[in-house]
Amino acid sequence: MVLLWVISALSLQVAVSFGHPLPAGCSSRTEPDPSFAVDVKLAGKTYVNKGLVAFGLIPSNFTESTGDTLGGIGSAIALKRGSFSQNSNGSFDGTFITQPDRGFNVDGTIDWQGRQHQIDFVLTPYYDADNLDFDDALGTLKLTYRNTLLYTERNAQKTTGLDALAVRPAEASNNNVTIPDPALPIAETNEHMSLDAEGLVLNADGTFWTSDEYGPYIYLFSSEGDLIETLQPPEAILPFIDGKLNFTSDTDPDTGRAGNQGFEGLTVDSTGTTLYALLQSATIQDGGSDKSTSRYTRLVAFDISQPLVSRPPVVGEWVVPLPQNKKGNTLAASEVHFVSDNVFLVLSRDGDGHGGDDNNSAYKQADLLDISSATDIHGSKFDDPSNPIAKKGKLDKSITPGTYESFVSFIDDTQLARFGLHNGKPADQTLIDAKWESLALAPCFDPDFPDDFFLFTVADNDFISTQGISLGQPFDAGLDVDNQFMVFRVTLPGASATGVSTESTH
Ligand SMILES: *[C@@H]1O[C@H](CO)[C@@H](O)[C@H](O)[C@H]1NC(C)=O
Ligand SMILES: *[C@@H]1O[C@H](CO)[C@@H](O)[C@H](O)[C@H]1NC(C)=O
Ligand SMILES: *[C@@H]1O[C@H](CO)[C@@H](O)[C@H](O)[C@H]1NC(C)=O
Ligand SMILES: *[C@@H]1O[C@H](CO)[C@@H](O)[C@H](O)[C@H]1NC(C)=O
Ligand SMILES: *[C@@H]1O[C@H](CO)[C@@H](O)[C@H](O)[C@H]1NC(C)=O
């Protein structure tokens, strides 16, 4: 076994870790308790949820290297390439790259630069049925913040979180860029590119793709965080007001993505050549102006095999039927993750839990999506916003949507209790966070279960802290919502987690 420790050259900051090793004698099982297994069949394959195996947190008042409060990190996570490996004592080491959205914006959007953080972890899966104390549970996923990378756009300008009230015309930017930019969302005040980052895909060459809510666009950044190029979705998804592109998140457009319902999900296939972006809920023309009609959203595929030769083209588009709550309101999608050809995990949820509208959450799940029999609407009349796929939320009869199956619930009371957590009141530190928005996979290296993976998810705490710092200024959001992390163990037949691990025992 070769263990390769990848240590960032930038790890100069004094590392602070959260969580301590599980006390001896706490854990007896080396495999999940079989009584927890829940099977789901999809397209002839059996997927298994084997339960929650680890939990960790970074406190809501933790300060990152720029001096700002670390928050919002669950908007997107990815495992740093080559970082995941198994230790001789059975634990696993790895590094998350986490990407927050647009800073503390409870009182309005702010001039906050886009960024990503490296966070190391030691995962010691807990498989027993007995309930751990909350403090002991934190030992199952020990977290160490390492460093932060800031994002810049054209002319080395900082990206901003400010609402995109203005538009920078297409190709008016630096002509020396390889691929000219389309019209870009910019702030009215400083004219910097507005970014509300939501999805993250790391490429083998160190560059990375970030999806956002304003465009909704997908940006390619260099390993130093500099903008390289911009992908635009089909016209049906672009926000138009009075016939003009208008990227504001404050109001809904006439057609295109609804305000704050952009590309929440971003993932890549196992060959690293097809990028998939998932819109959070339906476009306005497809019923997106109301939660009771917004379930038919779109998954768009781009061919990214030659990103610098020409702008990656759209190569496919499918309709995803999102789940609905008891009142018939859409449970919008916060993330998508590639599993195998035509199969994805989709994270759909309500906004309840710690920091949310209500303490009691009714739905937070990583579900399965199969698009193998779904209609590819790319290149059809539905690219034009005047042809809705689902007028007032009724799906056009010519379209077969993807198949959506319920899979891993994040709010199962038995599983939460094993880690000292709960759903519903009281609203304390052990209440599960409201906004889980990210998914990542890593292999379990278990020769008996070669299709078993760890499924990581991290919450977006919206920077809610009573001791916060934003742009150098202290703030008190009236509540402390920690950055929570969970790890499930799942069987995903035929899945791969390309590039994340340094070694494989099978
Ligand atoms: C965060 O809050 C805890 C509990 O109040 C306190 O002990 C700790 O010093 C605080 N950390 C920072 C960085 O403010
Ligand atoms: C297992 O080994 C890793 C790497 O050496 C270490 O970080 C972790 O604390 C160890 N776990 C226990 C329970 O001792
Ligand atoms: C976009 O719409 C908002 C709200 O209606 C408006 O204030 C803003 O000026 C518009 N921006 C452009 C570029 O038209
Ligand atoms: C393009 O590159 C040339 C040569 O490197 C430089 O002189 C010029 O200022 C650049 N143009 C812009 C618009 O940045
Ligand atoms: C959540 O629970 C707390 C008690 O811990 C209560 O004070 C609060 O009102 C509850 N919130 C809602 C929205 O019901």
Side-chain angles (χ1 to χ4, degrees):
M1 247 198 262
V2 185
L3 292 184
L4 232 175
W5 241 126
V6 182
I7 295 181
S8 161
L10 297 168
S11 306
L12 302 173
Q13 153 123 0
V14 179
V16 184
S17 302
F18 300 97
H20 52 78
L22 261 189
C26 258
S27 168
S28 57
R29 287 190 163 274
T30 56
E31 297 285 341
D33 189 310
S35 71
F36 295 152
V38 180
D39 290 7
V40 172
K41 290 219 166 40
L42 183 67
K45 289 179 180 165
T46 303
Y47 298 80
V48 189
N49 169 12
K50 295 187 172 182
L52 187 61
V53 302
F55 175 81
L57 64 78
I58 296 181
S60 63
N61 64 350
F62 181 74
T63 305
E64 38 108 326
S65 62
T66 70
D68 280 340
T69 295
L70 182 93
I73 58 174
S75 290
I77 60 168
L79 289 182
K80 185 174 175 177
R81 284 185 167 253
S83 74
F84 191 76
S85 62
Q86 186 163 21
N87 297 313
S88 51
N89 64 8
S91 71
F92 300 81
D93 284 332
T95 301
F96 293 116
I97 307 294
T98 70
Q99 183 180 263
D101 44 4
R102 53 176 177 176
F104 177 65
N105 64 353
V106 168
D107 309 317
T109 59
I110 60 171
D111 188 15
W112 194 82
Q113 192 174 6
R115 64 196 67 183
Q116 61 178 229
H117 310 292
Q118 281 204 47
I119 296 168
D120 291 345
F121 62 85
V122 181
L123 164 65
T124 308
Y126 175 70
Y127 292 130
D128 290 22
D130 295 345
N131 293 348
L132 292 172
D133 291 339
F134 181 70
D135 285 343
D136 288 340
L138 298 180
T140 56
L141 190 70
K142 190 179 150 191
L143 298 158
T144 308
Y145 165 79
R146 289 293 172 195
N147 57 55
T148 294
L149 174 73
L150 294 164
Y151 297 173
T152 54
E153 51 119 355
R154 300 302 173 212
N155 304 314
Q157 292 186 143
K158 298 171 182 180
T159 66
T160 182
L162 288 169
D163 190 32
L165 286 170
V167 176
R168 183 186 299 162
E171 299 186 353
S173 57
N174 190 338
N175 291 323
N176 289 353
V177 298
T178 319
I179 312 273
D181 293 324
L184 288 179
I186 58 171
E188 215 166 23
T189 46
N190 61 14
E191 300 192 342
H192 291 192
M193 188 181 99
S194 300
L195 181 71
D196 185 3
E198 292 294 348
L200 177 67
V201 162
L202 307 177
N203 298 316
D205 63 1
T207 62
F208 59 93
W209 300 96
T210 291
S211 65
D212 109 308
E213 301 228 58
Y214 283 121
Y217 281 174
I218 302 165
Y219 299 104
L220 180 64
F221 287 95
S222 74
S223 55
E224 285 80 39
D226 302 324
L227 179 63
I228 298 175
E229 75 172 299
T230 305
L231 307 191
Q232 214 178 26
E235 196 168 278
I237 293 176
L238 291 171
F240 285 94
I241 298 180
D242 297 333
K244 287 189 313 183
L245 272 179
N246 188 320
F247 300 104
T248 182
S249 63
D250 252 7
T251 50
D252 279 344
D254 301 329
T255 62
R257 62 100 184 104
N260 290 312
Q261 300 283 304
F263 280 145
E264 280 276 338
L266 191 69
T267 190
V268 71
D269 72 340
S270 55
T271 63
T273 56
T274 306
L275 191 67
Y276 296 88
L278 180 63
L279 199 67
Q280 187 166 2
S281 65
T283 64
I284 295 298
Q285 70 271 23
D286 300 336
S289 54
D290 193 287
K291 280 187 172 180
S292 64
T293 53
S294 64
R295 73 179 297 213
Y296 291 108
T297 193
R298 303 177 185 223
L299 177 72
V300 185
F302 297 83
D303 176 356
I304 53 162
S305 53
Q306 293 185 298
L308 299 179
V309 174
S310 57
R311 198 197 311 280
V314 174
V315 291
E317 187 177 345
W318 303 269
V319 177
V320 178
L322 293 173
Q324 293 166 298
N325 69 9
K326 286 196 183 119
K327 291 182 186 154
N329 288 341
T330 303
L331 294 154
S334 293
E335 191 52 277
V336 63
H337 197 289
F338 183 86
V339 173
S340 59
D341 286 347
N342 296 315
V343 179
F344 302 84
L345 289 165
V346 174
L347 198 176
S348 298
R349 58 163 180 84
D350 59 21
D352 298 326
H354 208 195
D357 302 331
D358 197 291
N359 296 317
N360 200 40
S361 170
Y363 199 101
K364 292 191 201 308
Q365 297 198 176
D367 295 323
L368 288 162
L369 169 71
D370 182 343
I371 57 165
S372 54
S373 345
T375 310
D376 182 356
I377 60 169
H378 167 59
S380 74
K381 65 175 185 178
F382 300 114
D383 282 345
D384 181 333
S386 57
N387 299 314
I389 57 167
K391 205 171 181 182
K392 297 194 175 129
K394 285 253 180 304
L395 186 62
D396 190 285
K397 286 200 173 63
S398 68
I399 298 172
T400 305
T403 306
Y404 194 98
E405 284 291 339
S406 178
F407 187 35
V408 177
S409 173
F410 296 179
I411 52 171
D412 180 284
D413 290 331
T414 306
Q415 295 299 320
L416 291 177
R418 290 175 54 235
F419 292 81
L421 298 162
H422 70 275
N423 179 26
K425 66 178 191 224
D428 62 12
Q429 199 184 22
T430 67
L431 170 60
I432 186 168
D433 281 358
K435 297 172 73 176
W436 297 81
E437 299 196 354
S438 51
L439 298 171
L441 292 174
C444 295
F445 302 128
D446 186 336
D448 294 335
F449 298 96
D451 285 331
D452 274 17
F453 290 82
F454 294 115
L455 172 62
F456 298 86
T457 180
V458 181
D460 169 4
N461 71 343
D462 278 339
F463 299 79
I464 297 174
S465 175
T466 56
Q467 304 169 319
I469 303 168
S470 173
L471 307 177
Q473 298 301 311
F475 68 85
D476 177 353
L479 188 70
D480 287 306
V481 179
D482 295 328
N483 301 280
Q484 295 184 344
F485 294 62
M486 290 196 288
V487 189
F488 294 86
R489 180 160 165 164
V490 290
T491 307
L492 302 172
S496 73
T498 313
V500 307
S501 58
T502 51
E503 45 113 54
S504 162
T505 53
H506 58 268

